[in-house]
C-alpha cells in the first residue's frame, strides 16, 4: 500500500493540516527475469544552450551524483496530480529552493550523521518534485506538500517562496522544511522503528478521522505538538521531530507554555465574541496569525473548516455570567491538572525518546541537528547567541547585511552564486 501524506493549508485558517489518501497497487513477487527497467536509464548530456542549464548542472552535481536524488522542477504530467490545476514553479524560485534544500537540509545531515558519506545516499527520498502553486482540494483547503512512500516528496507553492520570511504560515519552514524533516523522519522510522514505549504515551487520545477539526491549543494541552500529530502515533513521532528542529526558540517556548495549561473549547457566536473580547476579535478581523499568537491569554476565537465559531480558552474559575472570577487581589488561577495530563511534560517525554532513537541508530544528536539548522537560518554572535532585531525577532542570516562590511554579499547571494557560476560554462569554448 502506498501512502500519500498531503500537507495543506486551510483557507481562512493559519495552521497546516494534513490529508491522508490511500492508493493500492497490486503486484506479484517472482524470481523470474522481469525484463528491462520501465524507466529510461539512458544518460543524456546537459544542453548548454538551454536557459536552465545552470540549475540543471547544479542539481546534477549536488543532488543526483552524490545522493542519487533527483530534483525535478520542470513539472511533469506523469509525476503530477492530473485532478488538480497546478502551475509550474518559476525558474528563479526553483533556484532559490534548490540552494536552500542543499544548505538547510542535505548539508546539515551530511555534516552530522554518523555515516557522513553514505547516509543520505542510503536514506534520502529519491525524488524532490517542486510545483509553483498549491493543489486546491474540494473542501476549500490547499495542499502544500505530498509525500509518496518514502520515495518522492512534492513541495508546492514554491512560487511563494520568500527568503526574507523564515517563520509564519507562509515562511520557508512552514511551507517546505517542516515537510522535509517530517517526511525524512518517516523514512528513518521505516528503517529503524521508533520505540514501542512512544506508542503508549498518548494511547487512547489519537483520532485518525477527527484530528483536522481539533484546536492546536487544546491538542498541545494533551501533549501533541500539532493537531496532525494527534492523528496517529507515527505522525505524532515525526511531527515531534520536525517541530523541534524547525521551531525557533520563541515558538517552541510558547508551545511548551501553552501545553502546560488546561484548555476548553466552546461554541460561540461572533457577535457575542465581539462584545466579550473586543481586542481578540479585532485581531481576528485583521488576519492576525494564530501561528504567531501568544496563547498565554484567557481565550481566542477560531473558525472551523465548517465556518463555525469556537472559543478556545484556559480553564479558570468563572462566575455565573461566565466571566473570570478574580480573587481579592484581582488575580485568577489557571488549571493545569483537570485531565491529569501535563501536556508540556508529555511533549518533553516524547522528545526525549526521539532524541535517544536518533543517537542510538544514526549517531545524530537531535539538539546539534536543531542548532545546526537554526544557526544557518539566524544570525548568532561570537558566543553562539542568537541576535534579535529592534522588534525582538531573530535576525534572518540569509539576507543579513553586516554593518561592518555592508558591501559583502549576503549569504543568500553567495548561495545563488554557486548556480550562477555554471553560466560560465555556457559561454566557454
Amino acid at each position: 500500500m502506498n501512502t500519500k501524506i498531503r500537507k495543506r493549508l486551510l483557507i481562512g485558517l493559519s495552521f497546516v493540516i494534513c490529508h491522508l489518501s490511500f492508493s493500492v497497487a497490486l503486484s506479484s513477487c517472482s524470481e523470474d527475469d522481469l525484463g528491462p527497467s520501465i524507466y529510461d536509464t539512458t544518460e543524456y548530456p546537459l544542453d548548454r544552450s538551454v536557459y536552465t542549464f545552470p540549475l540543471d548542472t547544479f542539481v546534477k552535481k549536488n543532488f543526483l551524483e552524490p545522493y542519487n536524488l533527483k530534483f525535478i522542477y520542470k513539472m511533469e504530467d506523469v509525476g503530477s496530480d492530473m485532478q488538480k490545476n497546478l502551475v509550474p514553479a518559476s525558474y528563479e524560485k526553483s533556484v532559490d529552493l534548490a540552494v536552500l534544500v542543499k544548505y538547510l537540509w542535505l548539508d546539515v545531515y551530511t555534516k552530522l550523521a554518523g555515516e557522513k558519506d553514505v547516509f543520505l545516499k542510503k536514506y534520502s527520498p529519491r525524488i524532490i518534485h517542486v510545483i509553483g502553486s498549491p493543489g486546491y482540494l474540494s473542501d476549500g483547503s490547499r495542499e502544500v506538500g505530498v509525500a509518496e512512500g518514502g520515495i518522492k516528496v512534492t513541495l508546492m507553492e514554491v512560487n511563494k517562496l520568500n527568503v526574507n520570511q523564515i517563520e509564519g504560515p507562509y515562511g520557508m519552514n512552514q511551507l517546505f522544511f517542516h515537510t522535509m524533516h517530517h517526511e525524512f523522519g518517516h523514512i528513518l522510522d521505516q528503517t529503524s522503528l521508533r520505540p514501542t514505549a512512544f506508542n503508549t504515551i498518548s494511547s487512547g487520545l489519537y483520532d485518525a478521522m477527527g484530528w483536522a477539526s481539533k484546536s492546536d491549543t487544546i491538542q498541545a494541552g494533551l501533549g501533541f505538538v500539532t493537531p496532525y500529530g494527534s492523528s496517529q502515533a507515527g505522525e505524532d513521532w515525526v511531527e515531534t521531530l520536525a517541530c523541534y528542529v524547525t521551531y525557533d526558540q520563541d515558538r517552541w517556548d510558547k508551545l511548551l507554555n501553552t501545553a502546560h495549561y488546561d484548555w476548553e473549547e466552546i461554541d460561540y457566536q461572533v457577535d457575542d465574541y465581539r462584545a466579550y473580547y473586543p481586542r481578540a476579535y479585532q485581531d481576528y478581523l485583521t488576519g492576525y496569525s494564530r501561528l504567531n499568537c501568544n496563547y498565554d491569554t484567557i481565550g481566542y476565537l477560531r473558525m472551523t473548516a465548517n465556518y463555525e465559531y469556537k472559543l478556545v480558552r484556559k480553564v479558570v474559575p468563572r462566575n455565573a455570567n461566565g466571566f473570570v472570577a478574580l480573587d481579592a487581589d484581582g488575580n485568577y488561577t489557571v488549571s493545569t491538572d483537570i485531565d491529569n495530563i501535563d501536556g508540556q511534560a508529555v511533549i518533553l517525554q516524547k522528545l526525549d525518546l526521539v532524541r535517544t532513537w536518533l543517537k542510538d541508530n544514526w549517531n545524530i544528536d537531535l539538539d546539534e541537528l536543531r542548532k545546526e539548522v537554526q544557526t544557518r537560518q539566524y544570525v548568532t554572535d561570537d558566543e553562539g547567541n542568537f541576535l534579535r532585531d529592534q522588534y525582538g525577532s531573530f535576525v534572518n542570516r540569509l539576507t543579513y547585511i553586516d554593518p561592518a562590511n555592508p558591501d559583502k554579499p549576503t549569504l543568500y547571494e553567495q548561495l545563488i552564486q554557486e548556480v550562477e557560476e555554471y553560466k560560465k560554462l555556457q559561454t566557454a569554448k
Side-chain angles (χ1 to χ4, degrees):
M1 179 172 289
N2 178 37
T3 304
K4 297 184 177 181
I5 303 162
R6 304 178 177 227
K7 299 193 71 182
R8 57 193 183 167
L9 191 66
L10 282 181
I11 295 175
L13 300 175
S14 58
F15 62 95
V16 176
I17 67 173
C18 302
H19 170 72
L20 297 180
S21 65
F22 298 91
S23 60
V24 179
L26 300 179
S27 61
S28 61
C29 298
S30 171
E31 295 182 359
D32 296 337
D33 184 1
L34 297 180
S37 170
I38 63 173
Y39 299 105
D40 183 356
T41 59
T42 306
E43 288 199 20
Y44 301 96
L46 296 177
D47 187 347
R48 297 189 184 189
S49 67
V50 176
Y51 173 70
T52 60
F53 173 80
L55 178 56
D56 295 337
T57 308
F58 175 84
V59 297
K60 182 176 184 293
K61 296 293 186 182
N62 293 281
F63 288 71
L64 185 60
E65 291 180 357
Y67 307 119
N68 192 28
L69 169 59
K70 287 187 176 182
F71 184 91
I72 300 175
Y73 66 97
K74 299 172 182 177
M75 196 172 74
E76 301 174 344
D77 288 347
V78 69
S80 305
D81 189 338
M82 301 301 290
Q83 301 301 314
K84 299 181 178 64
N85 184 20
L86 302 175
V87 176
S90 72
Y91 175 77
E92 292 74 18
K93 295 298 183 181
S94 297
V95 170
D96 287 347
L97 186 59
V99 299
L100 291 173
V101 167
K102 177 184 182 297
Y103 179 69
L104 293 173
W105 192 72
L106 291 173
D107 289 353
V108 170
Y109 277 102
T110 298
K111 178 179 179 179
L112 297 179
E115 299 178 283
K116 291 180 173 58
D117 296 332
V118 298
F119 177 75
L120 285 175
K121 181 173 285 189
K122 291 170 65 175
Y123 301 119
S124 72
R126 298 301 92 190
I127 297 172
I128 295 177
H129 185 207
V130 302
I131 293 176
S133 63
Y136 288 96
L137 302 177
S138 59
D139 62 1
S141 63
R142 58 180 186 260
E143 293 176 328
V144 295
V146 181
E148 302 177 38
I151 301 298
K152 176 182 176 182
V153 174
T154 299
L155 301 174
M156 297 183 176
E157 282 199 276
V158 176
N159 289 342
K160 286 186 177 292
L161 192 158
N162 181 356
V163 295
N164 294 292
Q165 190 172 356
I166 295 175
E167 276 295 339
Y170 286 99
M172 294 185 297
N173 279 342
Q174 194 69 34
L175 289 181
F176 310 115
F177 293 103
H178 182 102
T179 301
M180 292 299 297
H181 288 286
H182 175 111
E183 300 309 337
F184 194 46
H186 275 306
I187 293 174
L188 296 180
D189 187 27
Q190 292 165 6
T191 305
S192 180
L193 289 178
R194 62 190 176 276
T196 56
F198 184 94
N199 302 334
T200 63
I201 295 174
S202 295
S203 177
L205 296 177
Y206 292 112
D207 185 357
M209 302 302 295
W211 64 267
S213 63
K214 302 293 179 63
S215 158
D216 46 359
T217 303
I218 289 180
Q219 296 309 91
L222 294 175
F224 300 107
V225 292
T226 63
Y228 187 49
S230 69
S231 63
Q232 54 179 290
E235 302 305 334
D236 192 10
W237 176 256
V238 294
E239 281 291 274
T240 301
L241 167 63
C243 288
Y244 185 65
V245 171
T246 60
Y247 282 13
D248 66 33
Q249 194 59 46
D250 286 350
R251 188 174 179 188
W252 182 255
D253 288 344
K254 286 179 181 178
L255 170 65
L256 292 181
N257 180 64
T258 298
H260 183 57
Y261 298 107
D262 289 323
W263 297 83
E264 61 185 357
E265 183 175 78
I266 62 174
D267 294 331
Y268 225 80
Q269 299 298 318
V270 65
D271 290 338
D272 295 336
Y273 189 91
R274 181 165 52 240
Y276 196 48
Y277 291 110
R279 176 56 189 275
Y281 181 73
Q282 186 61 36
D283 287 341
Y284 166 72
L285 288 180
T286 56
Y288 186 59
S289 170
R290 291 178 60 236
L291 288 176
N292 295 323
C293 275
N294 183 348
Y295 291 144
D296 190 15
T297 56
I298 292 297
Y300 67 90
L301 177 70
R302 81 178 186 101
M303 187 171 63
T304 70
N306 296 324
Y307 303 101
E308 298 172 335
Y309 291 101
K310 302 289 184 179
L311 180 65
V312 181
R313 64 186 187 185
K314 287 180 178 176
V315 176
V316 299
R318 297 178 182 276
N319 60 29
N321 295 320
F323 290 90
V324 178
L326 304 178
D327 60 23
D329 297 323
N331 301 316
Y332 61 89
T333 303
V334 182
S335 171
T336 59
D337 58 4
I338 276 187
D339 52 15
N340 295 316
I341 298 175
D342 183 344
Q344 181 184 106
V346 171
I347 290 173
L348 292 176
Q349 182 184 5
K350 293 175 179 177
L351 183 66
D352 192 54
L353 288 172
V354 174
R355 182 181 288 113
T356 301
W357 171 80
L358 272 178
K359 189 67 174 178
D360 289 349
N361 289 281
W362 293 280
N363 197 27
I364 296 176
D365 186 308
L366 177 61
D367 297 295
E368 286 298 316
L369 175 65
R370 181 174 189 252
K371 180 180 179 181
E372 184 67 27
V373 167
Q374 299 202 9
T375 54
R376 288 169 180 250
Q377 291 180 325
Y378 302 109
V379 178
T380 55
D381 60 21
D382 294 337
E383 297 179 353
N385 301 309
F386 290 101
L387 300 183
R388 295 179 183 268
D389 61 20
Q390 59 182 324
Y391 304 106
S393 301
F394 295 115
V395 179
N396 186 334
R397 181 182 289 276
L398 295 166
T399 56
Y400 175 69
I401 299 175
D402 185 355
N405 194 359
D407 295 328
K408 181 181 178 180
T410 64
L411 174 57
Y412 164 70
E413 291 169 338
Q414 295 175 52
L415 295 175
I416 294 297
Q417 186 59 35
E418 189 174 351
V419 178
E420 296 297 305
E421 286 294 317
Y422 291 114
K423 283 187 177 180
K424 297 177 182 179
L425 295 177
Q426 289 181 294
T427 57
K429 295 182 179 180

